[in-house]
Amino acid sequence: MTTPAARMVGVATYVPTKVLTNADFERMVDTSDEWIRERTGISERHIAGDGETLASMGADAVGRLFAEQGVTADAVDALIVGTATWDRLLPSAACDLQAAIGAKNAAAFDVSAACSGFLYGLSIADAMVAAGRAETVLVVGAERLSSITDYGDRATSILFGDAAGATLVRKADGDGSGILSTFLKSDGTLGELLYRPGRFPVTPEQVERGDYFLRMAGREVFKAAVRSMAEACDAALERAGLDADAVDLLIPHQANVRIIEATAKRTGIPMDRVLVNIDRYGNTSAASVPLALDEAVRSGRVEPGMTVLMVAFGGGFTWASALVRW
């Protein structure tokens, strides 16, 4: 089994207080609570309120993480933000977050890998620490998907929510805990199946035409997501020299409960060892995995010494996994 060079130190999240329920959507578009739950597993999702930005949500998650781990912003050598919903295109979301939390010693940059962004960032952080290029890396997955969701489109509007999650990556303690393996892959030829059209700067005409919002070919995305996440799970296990029986908990990207179930089946992990919280949050893209991990840790489903497999799939297409001994 792989000897970890780096480890995750804590996890913390932020979720807006505003909630959109399926009943709300029944009044907005031609849909029903039963239709949504049957096809997606979602009952409600949290939406950023007035004045809440990607940076402010990320800062709330990071502030909680720092307080719990006894870390100050000065200790951060690098700050990586995975997102597809920037507050603005320049500067980066990471630089805006850096300013918000006062991480003056950090190199800050974004990772644009859609729903896989947090795991892409985690893999980069693992490599930086292993190479001795950083001692403390802050990895954040944050999304304000409500800013690019067409609430007149029942096929996509019911899916998405807003949230932020953060973790620290530092040198492994040598006790066997840490990041055992990671896996990253993409296929840009499938980009037209899940994309956000239009160019920047965004004009009122673009918004009126609907070429600013997320667009998705649901059935094709479903097939690709299951196939790719199963591949990512298998690859992470193989790189660590383990099999599915060694996994105490699978934490998949929360895109659709049917995708989660199909991925678990292909990977050989029973659903009683899979974390599912899509019913309460919807698809929060890059925030999805840390949001689920945070819940697992705080509820006691993940304890020290357990092996956790995280996997995600997103527009690009991108997919990623990380196997961690907690």
Side-chain angles (χ1 to χ4, degrees):
M1 188 179 70
T2 306
T3 300
R7 62 190 174 100
M8 297 176 70
V9 180
V11 60
T13 55
Y14 172 78
V15 178
T17 58
K18 181 180 178 181
V19 175
L20 276 181
T21 66
N22 290 351
D24 293 323
F25 276 98
E26 288 178 338
R27 294 186 290 270
M28 295 164 60
V29 293
D30 180 18
T31 191
S32 69
D33 172 64
E34 181 181 6
W35 190 91
I36 296 171
R37 286 188 290 106
E38 180 181 335
R39 286 161 178 78
T40 70
I42 301 170
S43 296
E44 59 185 36
R45 62 293 287 154
H46 293 250
I47 303 298
D50 293 340
E52 285 190 307
T53 65
L54 190 81
S56 71
M57 291 193 298
D60 285 337
V62 171
R64 182 182 181 191
L65 177 67
F66 284 176
E68 293 175 352
Q69 300 302 322
V71 173
T72 64
D74 288 348
V76 177
D77 302 310
L79 166 55
I80 305 171
V81 174
T83 191
T85 51
W86 302 266
D87 292 328
R88 50 184 178 173
L89 291 182
L90 186 68
S92 67
C95 284
D96 280 340
L97 179 57
Q98 177 186 33
I101 65 175
K104 61 184 180 182
N105 297 320
F109 59 94
D110 292 348
V111 174
S112 179
C115 305
S116 306
F118 178 79
L119 292 182
Y120 265 61
L122 185 67
S123 182
I124 295 167
D126 176 39
M128 292 179 73
V129 172
R133 302 300 185 189
E135 293 184 1
T136 300
V137 183
L138 175 60
V139 182
V140 176
E143 299 288 5
R144 192 169 178 264
L145 288 168
S146 58
S147 67
I148 60 169
T149 296
D150 181 356
Y151 285 100
D153 176 12
R154 80 165 187 167
T156 59
S157 62
I158 61 173
L159 300 175
F160 301 113
D162 302 332
T167 190
L168 291 164
V169 177
R170 284 179 158 172
K171 186 178 179 181
D173 285 338
D175 60 357
S177 65
I179 301 170
L180 302 176
S181 66
T182 64
F183 174 80
L184 308 177
K185 197 171 180 181
S186 63
D187 184 353
T189 66
L190 302 177
E192 294 305 306
L193 298 180
L194 176 55
Y195 68 101
R196 177 183 171 187
R199 298 291 183 267
F200 289 93
V202 177
T203 66
E205 290 76 20
Q206 280 181 284
V207 176
E208 185 177 351
R209 291 194 305 268
D211 61 358
Y212 172 73
F213 301 112
L214 282 172
R215 295 289 178 247
M216 180 173 65
R219 183 172 298 179
E220 290 80 3
V221 170
F222 183 104
K223 295 176 183 177
V226 173
R227 181 177 62 251
S228 300
M229 289 208 296
E231 176 194 4
C233 288
D234 291 344
L237 288 167
E238 182 179 355
R239 289 181 177 185
L242 298 174
D243 58 30
D245 291 339
V247 177
D248 294 300
L249 190 66
L250 172 64
I251 297 182
H253 168 49
Q254 307 288 309
N256 179 301
V257 71
R258 292 180 176 179
I259 292 176
I260 292 171
E261 291 169 348
T263 299
K265 183 177 181 180
R266 282 204 181 193
T267 307
I269 298 176
M271 284 302 296
D272 62 359
R273 286 193 276 138
V274 181
L275 194 288
V276 180
N277 68 358
I278 189 174
D279 54 316
R280 285 164 285 125
Y281 302 108
N283 181 348
T284 57
S285 188
S288 170
V289 168
L291 185 61
L293 176 61
D294 187 36
E295 177 174 318
V297 171
R298 294 179 193 280
S299 67
R301 292 193 67 180
V302 170
E303 297 177 345
M306 286 187 171
T307 300
V308 180
L309 177 57
M310 297 174 282
V311 63
F313 170 90
F317 282 161
T318 67
W319 53 104
S321 58
L323 189 66
V324 175
R325 179 71 45 75
W326 193 254

